Amino acid sequence: MASELRVTTIANNAGTESVDTTYVINGTAKAWVNFNGAGTVAIRESNNTSSITDNGTGNYTVNFTSAMEDVNYSLTGLGTWNTDTASGGLFATQTSTFATTSARIYVYQSNSLFNGIDSHTCCVNILR
């Protein structure tokens, strides 16, 4: 049987830091991931991210451990790389519609908007 805990704030054990539960429910990242997108794709650290799918150069799918409530979330991110010609990345969603179980993203070079590049460090945040 499921149980429910109703509180207005959550505090650390010492009681020195606390947060209102509305921030936990409405104002924190529902998923995030920092991963290596160059070579063998590998997650460095994450929350609510089960895996990363490499769909091709600069094209990734972030798969959520637990589905989002709906598709009305905010997706932000950054991809970086280090080459002789550029050292920064721009980031976009791959499709115009979001999914509840995953987010598809695309990293491209700032000097060539349609030239995807595998990102050495890719960070994705899902906020709701």
Side-chain angles (χ1 to χ4, degrees), residues 1-21:
M1 172 160 69
S3 61
E4 185 174 300
L5 180 63
R6 294 179 186 224
V7 297
T8 56
T9 60
I10 298 173
N12 66 0
N13 195 35
T16 57
E17 297 177 16
S18 65
V19 65
D20 189 285
T21 55

Side-chain angles (χ1 to χ4, degrees), residues 9 15 22-23 28 58 66 68 70 73 75 107 113 123:
T9 60
T22 58
Y23 290 105
T28 59
S66 297
M68 298 297 121
D70 55 40
Y73 53 81
L75 184 148
V107 180
L113 296 182
C123 301

